[in-house]
Amino acid sequence: MDYPAPIAKLINSFTKLPGIGSKTAARLAFHVLEMPEMEVSQFAQALIQVKRDLTYCSICGNITDTDPCIICSDQSRDTSIILVVEDTRDVMSMERMQEYRGLYHVLQGVLSPMEGRGPEELNIAQLIKRLQDEEVKEVIIATNATAEGEATAVYLSRLIKPAGIKVTRLAHGLSVGSDIEYADEMTLFRAIEGRREL
Amino acid sequence: MDYPAPIAKLINSFTKLPGIGSKTAARLAFHVLEMPEMEVSQFAQALIQVKRDLTYCSICGNITDTDPCIICSDQSRDTSIILVVEDTRDVMSMERMQEYRGLYHVLQGVLSPMEGRGPEELNIAQLIKRLQDEEVKEVIIATNATAEGEATAVYLSRLIKPAGIKVTRLAHGLSVGSDIEYADEMTLFRAIEGRREL
């Protein structure tokens, strides 16, 4: 005996989400069955709206419900600095810090030869266009500290530097509050390499 | 800066599911953003349909899209045995075994004084009604081997036995293929208690 069709379909939809296997999907689907009808219809609506109402900002590539996004259209921000990140969640993390007042550029991924993602697949052409149009003095590359993130950073810096724009990279080192004992070799190496005078 | 409203709403909906915290919810919501529109609308539809098209079988309490459910309306099944389980997923597990040909009764939970769930909250009155109407010879209690499952089993057996109906409980012991070395004390105790002559 199989699950009744409606629940089988919902389980199938849940399994398409990352990190959700068939057992978890079944558990979630049965939970939906017991949720108030109101909440379920809000959930369904939220799914539809995310696809319908969100677009990528035509300037920075961030996910937004207005174009240009609220950061690009904020007159109080410093337009001479662009911080380049992999995706929208990174923008959120930076904004949570409440210290950075420049603009962003969202690559929507990183270079990954393994997954067949080259520069054309990323939001790089638009970045170069911005650098020509706007009076940008510094590009901070804030891709993740992974092999792919590093490779993307190097690629971008080679692309941008010849135009005479300052290109910087986020510092690597020990996390605040972390123990040296637990730091990996690469992090320690970067921490020593980037040491500063006290 | 917060997430744009549509994605914030979707993240909020995801966090209402069991075992999904805010970080996972954000990851899932961003994944939805990149899913094909077709799949997302199927997902939304599946959510709505699960609430709209599924009901509980008026006989056994199983989740179904027809009433009575396909098991209760299957003429070839042995109506003299009822196997009592906690929820629909347990029915699925039993059916996967393809050995049991009797009927089921789904309690839709277990007795749990801690969560304020007494006999009235469970599908027990309907079970008693079935035992009066139908010619049932045996009730197999297959609640989980947890403290609450055991308490529910004892409660049901006290309720049913006086009517002269045979009440049985699933055997407890070592899982097939398991090592004695790794079995917990309670399981070993039950395995010895339930030993059989070879």
Side-chain angles (χ1 to χ4, degrees):
Chain A
M1 189 197 148
D2 295 324
Y3 288 109
I7 201 131
K9 277 185 201 160
L10 185 58
I11 292 173
N12 183 39
S13 281
F14 272 123
T15 53
K16 286 181 181 154
L17 297 175
I20 294 187
S22 60
K23 291 225 165 175
T24 306
R27 195 163 52 89
L28 295 179
F30 277 97
H31 180 84
V32 167
L33 207 62
E34 280 153 31
M35 270 163 67
E37 186 140 11
M38 184 67 183
E39 273 183 22
V40 176
S41 83
Q42 279 170 349
F43 190 0
Q45 231 176 348
L47 281 169
I48 298 290
Q49 284 178 348
V50 149
K51 285 304 281 186
R52 197 189 57 198
D53 299 346
L54 290 185
T55 46
Y56 293 106
C57 170
S58 59
I59 298 174
C60 72
N62 194 5
I63 285 162
T64 178
D65 48 356
T66 56
D67 190 17
C69 72
I70 53 169
I71 296 177
C72 287
S73 50
D74 182 347
Q75 299 291 334
S76 75
R77 299 194 75 119
D78 181 353
T79 56
S80 70
I81 309 183
I82 292 182
L83 192 145
V84 179
V85 294
E86 290 182 20
D87 66 30
T88 296
R89 276 164 291 182
D90 300 332
V91 174
M92 303 296 165
S93 300
M94 290 288 170
E95 286 296 285
R96 241 176 270 133
M97 177 180 64
Q98 295 187 323
E99 284 291 339
Y100 177 72
R101 297 296 303 157
L103 298 178
Y104 292 94
H105 194 83
V106 182
L107 294 177
Q108 294 157 14
V110 271
L111 294 177
S112 171
M114 294 283 283
E115 292 174 32
R117 210 163 37 238
E120 307 75 37
E121 270 75 42
L122 302 182
N123 189 20
I124 291 178
Q126 168 64 14
L127 173 63
I128 302 306
K129 195 165 158 286
R130 285 178 78 180
L131 298 179
Q132 288 161 350
D133 295 353
E134 300 169 32
E135 287 179 3
V136 178
K137 294 200 182 76
E138 182 178 352
V139 172
I140 305 174
I141 300 181
T143 49
N144 290 333
T146 57
E148 291 171 344
E150 294 293 340
T152 309
V154 171
Y155 176 85
L156 287 177
S157 109
R158 286 193 190 150
L159 204 65
I160 300 167
K161 263 187 178 164
I165 297 166
K166 188 174 166 191
V167 180
T168 56
R169 176 101 177 93
L170 289 189
H172 290 107
L174 296 170
S175 305
V176 176
S178 70
D179 275 12
I180 289 181
E181 188 181 347
Y182 299 121
D184 61 289
E185 294 83 351
M186 275 312 290
T187 302
L188 277 181
F189 175 71
R190 294 297 195 90
I192 289 181
E193 204 182 36
R195 68 191 179 278
R196 291 199 197 181
E197 213 167 317
L198 281 175
Chain B
M1 189 198 150
D2 295 323
Y3 288 108
I7 201 133
K9 278 186 201 159
L10 184 58
I11 291 173
N12 183 40
S13 282
F14 272 123
T15 53
K16 286 182 181 153
L17 297 175
I20 294 187
S22 60
K23 289 226 166 175
T24 306
R27 195 164 51 89
L28 296 179
F30 277 97
H31 180 84
V32 167
L33 207 63
E34 280 154 32
M35 270 164 67
E37 186 140 10
M38 185 66 184
E39 274 183 22
V40 177
S41 84
Q42 278 170 350
F43 189 179
Q45 231 176 348
L47 281 168
I48 298 288
Q49 284 178 347
V50 149
K51 286 302 282 186
R52 197 189 57 198
D53 299 346
L54 289 185
T55 47
Y56 293 105
C57 171
S58 59
I59 298 175
C60 71
N62 194 5
I63 285 163
T64 177
D65 47 357
T66 55
D67 190 17
C69 73
I70 52 168
I71 296 177
C72 287
S73 50
D74 182 346
Q75 300 291 334
S76 75
R77 298 194 75 117
D78 181 354
T79 56
S80 70
I81 309 182
I82 292 181
L83 191 145
V84 179
V85 292
E86 291 181 21
D87 66 29
T88 297
R89 276 164 291 181
D90 301 332
V91 174
M92 302 297 165
S93 300
M94 290 288 169
E95 287 295 287
R96 240 175 271 132
M97 177 180 62
Q98 293 186 324
E99 284 291 338
Y100 177 71
R101 296 297 302 157
L103 299 177
Y104 291 95
H105 193 83
V106 181
L107 293 177
Q108 293 157 15
V110 271
L111 294 177
S112 170
M114 295 282 284
E115 292 176 30
R117 211 165 35 238
E120 308 75 37
E121 270 73 44
L122 301 183
N123 190 20
I124 291 178
Q126 168 64 13
L127 174 63
I128 303 305
K129 193 164 160 286
R130 285 178 77 180
L131 298 179
Q132 287 160 352
D133 296 353
E134 299 169 32
E135 287 179 2
V136 178
K137 295 200 182 76
E138 183 177 352
V139 173
I140 305 174
I141 302 181
T143 49
N144 291 334
T146 58
E148 292 171 342
E150 294 293 340
T152 309
V154 171
Y155 176 84
L156 287 177
S157 109
R158 286 193 189 150
L159 202 67
I160 300 167
K161 262 189 179 163
I165 297 166
K166 188 175 166 191
V167 180
T168 55
R169 177 102 177 93
L170 290 189
H172 291 107
L174 297 169
S175 305
V176 175
S178 70
D179 275 11
I180 289 181
E181 188 182 346
Y182 299 120
D184 61 290
E185 295 82 351
M186 276 310 291
T187 303
L188 277 181
F189 176 69
R190 294 297 195 90
I192 289 180
E193 203 183 37
R195 67 191 181 279
R196 292 201 198 177
E197 213 168 315
L198 282 175

